Amino acid sequence: MAALTVTPFLPASLAAIILHDRIGRKALAFTILLLICICMLVTGVVLSSAANRSPRVLFTFYVIGLGFSQLAFFSNMQYTLELIPTCVRCQALGALYSISYSFLICKGCILNMRNIFFPLPEIILGVLILLCAGLFLLLPETLNRTLPCSLEDGEKLGIDEHWYTFSCMEKRKQPEELDSSLAPRNGI
């Protein structure tokens, strides 16, 4: 049983590596959180009937959720490292870890909501994850962009983007366009 719980780790890390450069960091983070939200709400609906609370069904949802959460962790960690300027990266990551561990206190409270209504924890987490997915839309895309080294660079990152800007939707440059953009110009 313990061996089955670690099976999603390798596919999640490989998927994060492959999808980062194909669809971009912002699109991947938003899509993964949206999929996790849908899975949480489907889990809540399935678990609302007493007939679907068998250990096999619960374990299946657990492994699927673990795979998505690992994919979200790997992709969001990479995205976070690219967004934070180099000069404050250690302090910012330390603060993020402290905040995330402080939310572990809330875990017991949310899981105890199961005594009130069995799928209530899944509903609460699904709504929170949907809010987080919406917040990811406000972040800039970092794929094919110069990453910030200073605080000023960090403030300028994504200044010309909209919330609906995804790098996977941008027109890809043809090799001829890339060659002409790299060619030296007269007078330079």
Side-chain angles (χ1 to χ4, degrees), residues 41-64:
L41 295 176
V42 167
T43 303
V45 169
V46 169
L47 293 179
S48 63
S49 70
N52 293 326
R53 295 185 196 153
S54 71
R56 287 185 182 186
V57 171
L58 291 173
F59 187 73
T60 302
F61 280 119
Y62 172 75
V63 172
I64 291 170

Side-chain angles (χ1 to χ4, degrees), residues 89-142:
R89 188 169 293 150
C90 291
Q91 293 88 354
L93 287 179
L96 286 174
Y97 277 120
S98 299
I99 292 169
S100 65
Y101 279 120
S102 67
F103 278 114
L104 286 176
I105 298 168
C106 300
K107 178 179 75 170
C109 298
I110 292 175
L111 290 177
N112 284 336
M113 300 267 186
R114 198 172 297 281
N115 297 335
I116 299 169
F117 181 58
F118 198 78
L120 191 58
E122 285 81 11
I123 294 169
I124 292 171
L125 290 174
V127 169
L128 287 174
I129 291 170
L130 185 63
L131 290 172
C132 289
L135 289 175
F136 264 107
L137 292 175
L138 302 175
L139 295 174
E141 178 61 64
T142 59

Side-chain angles (χ1 to χ4, degrees), residues 13-91:
S13 60
L14 292 176
I17 291 169
I18 292 169
L19 292 175
H20 263 186
D21 291 332
R22 298 214 186 258
I23 65 172
R25 279 77 165 142
K26 180 178 173 179
L28 180 62
F30 176 73
T31 306
I32 292 301
L33 286 180
L34 204 58
L35 287 173
I36 290 174
C37 174
I38 291 168
C39 287
M40 289 296 271
L41 295 176
V42 167
T43 303
V45 169
V46 169
L47 293 179
S48 63
S49 70
N52 293 326
R53 295 185 196 153
S54 71
R56 287 185 182 186
V57 171
L58 291 173
F59 187 73
T60 302
F61 280 119
Y62 172 75
V63 172
I64 291 170
L66 188 63
F68 278 129
S69 66
Q70 287 302 313
L71 180 58
F73 176 77
F74 292 137
S75 67
N76 294 342
M77 183 57 70
Q78 177 69 32
Y79 190 35
T80 302
L81 288 173
E82 291 178 359
L83 280 175
I84 299 172
T86 307
C87 61
V88 293
R89 188 169 293 150
C90 291
Q91 293 88 354

